[in-house]
Amino acid sequence: MSDHPPVVHDDPEGEPPWAMQLAIRAEKLDPPSHEAVCEAAASAVVHLLADERFADAVARWEEGRIRKVTRRARGARWRDLAALPGVTVARGGAEVRAFPPGPVTEVPPAIAKLQIAGTDLAHAETEPPAEPYAVLVHNPDAKMSTGKAAAQSGHAAHLLYRTLPPGDRAAWLTAGAPVHLLAFPWPEAVARATVHIRDAGYTEVAPGTMTAVTWLLTP
């Protein structure tokens, strides 16, 4: 069992920090659930990490703090995002698009105009996918908006992908890198998990708070 914070390195000196941008589709008339968004965000991060088109950007980003910024879009603004390089994952009525990481000072305008704060969606259980899938559990004592929880879910899936044995990683990716967010007893989840996320504490939770844990469930 290992305890992984979302911060793995200091940023290179003299350079702006890098971040992966995530966009949640949240239409007014039919918004997705909190759980489905977190699951889609986590899977989208994994698919982008595995996409060779973005290998150089991912490698540079992973030299520093692996920031993830979650935004929301609807209507024409969501449709505009399809023209930008990235990976979209749909899960349980939710759609999340992950974009290759880059400097926070050079976010494409179509992404930069999207709202960051205030994404808080209703909760609803989702159906478990076929194994293998990542079991994801959030700390019930760490109160997080949907945007914050989606970013933490992305951190957990990111580090799970990086720490899995090659065979398990390949099998999970072949299955679509599915993730299932569960309301699981927290102490038991912490004991079972192979990845534990502690937040840096910039927003919503205190520094060092364990926000999410995950492990791969295999057949």
Side-chain angles (χ1 to χ4, degrees), residues 89-101:
V89 168
R91 166 74 171 141
E95 291 181 76
V96 176
R97 188 165 180 83
F99 302 93

Side-chain angles (χ1 to χ4, degrees), residues 1-8 159-160 163 194-198 212:
M1 182 172 67
S2 55
D3 190 1
H4 296 282
V7 175
V8 292
L159 293 172
L160 180 64
T163 55
T194 57
V195 167
H196 305 74
I197 298 300
R198 290 188 182 275

